[in-house]
Amino acid sequence: MSTTDETATAAASGAAATERFHHDKSPYDAVRDTPKERVDLLAREVLSAIHDTIRRHQVTYDEYNALKAWLIQVGEDGEWPLFLDVWVEHVVEDVATADRQGSKGSIEGPYYVPNAPERGADADLPMRDGEAGTPLLWEGSITSVDGTPLAGTVELWHADADGYYSQFAPGIPEWNLRGSFTTGPDGKFRIRTIQPAPYQIPTDGACGKLIAAAGWHAWRPAHLHVKVSAPGHQELIAQLYFPGDPHNDDDIANAVKPELILAPVGQDDGSARIDYGFALDRQED
Ligand code: DHB
Ligand code: FE
């Protein structure tokens, strides 16, 4: 249901994702005090893993040059955010959240944009008139791990029924299917949106070239992205999935966990109701 004849391309969505990443505060700030010893250890181990692969599989000069050309293309296509968030971020997320007691999280991915329109605790996600897709009514609450309701915020963003994200594909209103919902002291929220489509990562750029050359597929299951926060608690970044999606078991980004699969209940009017809330861990001091 594109509103223009422009099509989404890897170069355009990659450039937007790269620009978005540069927009945030410098990622270097948080690691200013990392000791040389740790940088040395991590860099040496990564390089050593590459060296081992070359020796074990007798990588040729032709293959080395193809790799070099491909790595250059990843940068030219702006696809480093996409590449890293699809094939690396899920392990970082696992490590970062291993000690949590509350709700499970998942990767953020490349398409979050801060400062989405604020909508209160009971509202529609911004969408076009007649936005395609099964209407969803989602009710839930934010609590701490002990069940205490929390006044907090659910930021929600997701693809449309064609699998496209606003601000990363052309012809979609700026804040389409992006919003921020702030709960009162009872922690409750009620959000109306539509069910997104499964999402195929762009296939016409460097990442698509790897996928084709390796005989992989490019699909992520349909998903809702959330960032949930409340004062004194750890921010939760998660994705929620729909039962029966063929890609829940072979997500290219490896970001599905059983706890993140919703149980929508079909309603007589063709819409679906979801009941899903979030328990946040306390902030560590
Ligand atoms: C990518 C896209 C997503 O929508 C997502 O959730 C994770 C990764 C990507 O294209 O890299
Ligand atoms: Fe996504």
Side-chain angles (χ1 to χ4, degrees):
M1 210 190 70
S2 300
T3 51
T4 77
D5 290 337
E6 290 175 275
T7 52
T9 60
S13 72
T18 299
E19 193 195 335
R20 166 79 259 134
F21 188 70
H22 286 318
H23 245 266
D24 293 338
K25 68 178 168 43
S26 169
Y28 296 125
D29 289 348
V31 294
R32 283 273 175 246
D33 299 330
T34 303
K36 278 192 187 59
E37 291 73 17
R38 182 166 171 84
V39 180
D40 169 63
L41 175 73
L42 299 182
R44 257 187 311 111
E45 279 202 16
V46 169
L47 290 168
S48 168
I50 294 172
H51 304 158
D52 286 350
T53 301
I54 294 168
R55 289 188 204 285
R56 200 169 338 117
H57 301 289
Q58 298 284 289
V59 170
T60 66
Y61 254 103
D62 286 344
E63 289 168 333
Y64 171 71
N65 283 326
L67 171 66
K68 209 166 173 179
W70 182 80
L71 289 169
I72 291 167
Q73 192 191 338
V74 175
E76 287 170 350
D77 290 346
E79 284 198 334
W80 280 116
L82 189 149
F83 174 85
L84 289 164
D85 295 351
V86 165
W87 285 299
V88 180
E89 188 186 354
H90 68 99
V91 186
V92 181
E93 195 274 334
D94 269 352
V95 169
T97 62
D99 292 339
R100 288 204 181 162
Q101 308 296 309
S103 298
K104 288 286 182 200
S106 188
I107 66 170
E108 176 172 327
Y111 298 147
Y112 169 72
V113 183
N115 307 315
E118 168 54 47
R119 286 294 190 255
D122 180 352
D124 296 0
L125 194 63
M127 67 181 91
R128 293 164 284 198
D129 287 344
E131 185 77 37
T134 302
L136 297 179
L137 173 64
W138 174 12
E139 292 177 295
S141 59
I142 310 175
T143 68
S144 64
V145 284
D146 66 9
T148 310
L150 296 174
T153 301
V154 177
E155 289 178 88
L156 171 64
W157 73 102
H158 63 82
D160 66 14
D162 290 326
Y164 293 121
Y165 285 87
S166 60
Q167 302 190 37
F168 297 90
I172 303 175
E174 186 175 23
W175 294 104
N176 207 59
L177 303 176
R178 297 177 180 277
S180 178
F181 301 85
T182 300
T183 67
D186 66 358
K188 289 185 177 161
F189 59 85
R190 180 158 55 188
I191 300 171
R192 281 162 295 272
T193 184
I194 54 97
Q195 183 167 335
Y199 166 85
Q200 190 166 202
I201 75 161
T203 52
D204 62 323
C207 289
K209 195 176 234 172
L210 171 62
I211 288 166
W216 300 341
H217 72 74
W219 290 97
R220 299 216 57 226
H223 56 278
L224 305 173
H225 289 270
V226 289
K227 247 186 216 207
V228 187
S229 55
H233 291 74
Q234 294 179 43
E235 181 177 79
L236 172 69
I237 298 174
Q239 300 189 26
L240 303 173
Y241 303 93
F242 296 86
D245 190 300
H247 298 295
N248 283 343
D249 295 326
D250 70 348
D251 176 14
I252 189 175
N254 256 290
V256 181
K257 302 175 186 179
E259 299 87 345
L260 299 173
I261 299 182
L262 298 163
V265 178
Q267 308 292 294
D268 291 342
D269 63 1
S271 68
R273 214 180 140 272
I274 305 170
D275 190 350
Y276 193 98
F278 303 101
L280 304 187
D281 284 71
R282 285 202 160 282
Q283 205 122 50
E284 292 147 5
D285 321 292

